[in-house]
Amino acid sequence: MIMKHSIKQLWLAMRPWSFPVSVAPVVLTAAFLKASGIDISYGMTLWTLWGIVLFHAAGNLFSDYFDFRKGVDTDPAVGSATITGGLLTARETMIFACIMLALACVCGIGLMCAVGWPLLIFGLLGASLVVAYPWLKFHALGDLDILLTFGVLPTLGTAFVLTGRLDWTSLWITPTFATITMAVLHANNTRDTVRDSHAHIHTFAMLIGLRASQWVYYVEEWLPLLWVIICVLTAHLHWSMILFVVPAAVLALRNTRVMKGASHGDNIDTLDQFTAQHQLINTVCLLVGMLLSLLW
């Protein structure tokens, strides 16, 4: 049973190192709206943040379950070790995933009652993409799923929660983090190309090959930094934001060098975690920059 496991085991099973990719759209959208002169509710922001992290945890657990069943995850030293490493059994992982999804839905229903029924559309789309992610990943559509689940939908959904309307201008902030999120998955799939082929699944990285996968990763890592410059030039972000992306640029450079080594047989086993670190630092830098820009 799930309850026989320690809190630490359950926490590790959710792959918390990946949570920066779900935190980013909520906090950055809220900061962007605040920097744009819109008064926001910090309580509603935290409520929204809690809901998307629960959805993310559910998605990770569903992915681990189906990866194990499909024969993708067999080595605890590579990839997720939730099941192969003995943290949870396959059955417990599915049960835990359903619990997290149910809690996320409860959180979403509460938000819907607070801000209006149109939020239900975002919730249903998000839940559907979370549940469908394993199948979409196995059919080379996982990257698109991630872009929608952790990019477009949470940006618009957060903006709706905080403004009460569908604010399309909030999508200006999405490219500053969304492609790094895609890069986390892409790094994982590039690493797992051989194992995925043995399991008879087809990811985007498999279809385009190693060399093209490397270039896709480079673009995904550097596009957010370029987009910040574009936003500054178009007056959607304060000029000072360019200063705050320097630490994130250092991590992007490190990660692209690691990915470049893949063509020479170098190990990229932890590149997905390195990319999640980039997402975390990128989010913190952008958040601090946008909030400080209010003082200048």
Side-chain angles (χ1 to χ4, degrees):
M1 296 296 292
I2 289 293
M3 297 309 296
K4 74 179 181 181
H5 296 281
S6 67
I7 297 297
K8 180 180 180 180
Q9 287 176 310
L10 296 177
W11 174 248
L12 292 175
M14 292 187 288
R15 283 187 271 162
W17 59 263
S18 67
F19 288 165
V21 306
S22 53
V23 171
V26 177
V27 298
L28 292 180
T29 301
F32 179 73
L33 293 173
K34 183 71 175 178
S36 300
I38 299 175
D39 190 27
I40 65 171
S41 167
Y42 297 109
M44 295 297 283
T45 301
L46 290 174
W47 193 350
T48 305
L49 183 62
W50 176 243
I52 193 171
V53 169
L54 287 172
F55 265 118
H56 190 180
N60 284 344
L61 291 162
F62 278 122
S63 180
D64 287 343
Y65 174 83
F66 287 106
D67 279 356
F68 178 77
R69 288 299 188 194
K70 194 71 175 178
V72 176
D73 277 342
T74 57
D75 184 356
V78 181
S80 174
T82 298
I83 300 174
T84 57
L87 285 175
L88 300 174
T89 66
R91 181 174 181 272
E92 289 170 339
T93 300
M94 174 55 78
I95 292 173
F96 195 22
C98 291
I99 291 173
M100 290 296 102
L101 183 59
L103 290 174
C105 289
V106 170
C107 186
I109 291 171
L111 277 173
M112 183 187 68
C113 293
V115 302
W117 69 265
L119 190 64
L120 178 63
I121 299 173
F122 294 101
L124 290 176
L125 287 174
S128 299
L129 288 169
V130 165
V131 174
Y133 171 73
W135 186 90
L136 292 171
K137 174 186 173 182
F138 296 161
H139 293 81
L141 294 172
D143 301 67
L144 176 60
D145 182 293
I146 291 299
L147 175 62
L148 295 174
T149 306
F150 296 110
V152 176
L153 285 177
T155 298
L156 291 175
T158 300
F160 183 83
V161 168
L162 298 178
T163 66
R165 57 187 173 82
L166 191 61
D167 188 347
W168 294 103
T169 62
S170 63
L171 288 178
W172 271 97
I173 200 65
T174 304
T176 64
F177 63 85
T179 62
I180 304 178
T181 301
M182 296 171 68
V184 175
L185 172 67
H186 191 64
N188 178 287
N189 290 344
T190 302
R191 178 197 66 201
D192 293 344
T193 297
V194 174
R195 292 191 301 138
D196 288 347
S197 63
H198 291 162
H200 305 293
I201 66 174
H202 304 282
T203 63
F204 179 63
M206 288 176 60
L207 292 181
I208 63 176
L210 176 59
R211 186 59 177 165
S213 288
Q214 289 176 307
W215 279 103
V216 167
Y217 182 83
Y218 302 155
V219 171
E220 290 173 340
E221 280 284 271
W222 287 101
L223 180 60
L225 304 176
L226 175 61
W227 192 257
V228 169
I229 296 174
I230 293 174
C231 286
V232 169
L233 293 176
T234 56
H236 285 89
L237 289 175
H238 193 271
W239 65 265
S240 62
M241 290 300 301
I242 295 178
L243 302 176
F244 289 95
V245 298
V246 173
V250 173
L251 291 183
L253 180 60
R254 177 200 66 179
N255 291 349
T256 51
R257 284 177 173 173
V258 173
M259 176 59 91
K260 184 178 180 180
S263 61
H264 307 295
D266 291 354
N267 198 319
I268 59 170
D269 284 353
T270 58
L271 184 56
D272 53 353
Q273 296 184 41
F274 286 168
T275 310
Q277 291 173 6
H278 177 204
Q279 182 70 287
L280 175 61
I281 298 303
N282 181 68
T283 300
V284 172
C285 290
L286 290 173
L287 178 63
V288 172
M290 280 188 281
L291 294 180
L292 288 181
S293 68
L294 295 173
L295 305 177
W296 293 344

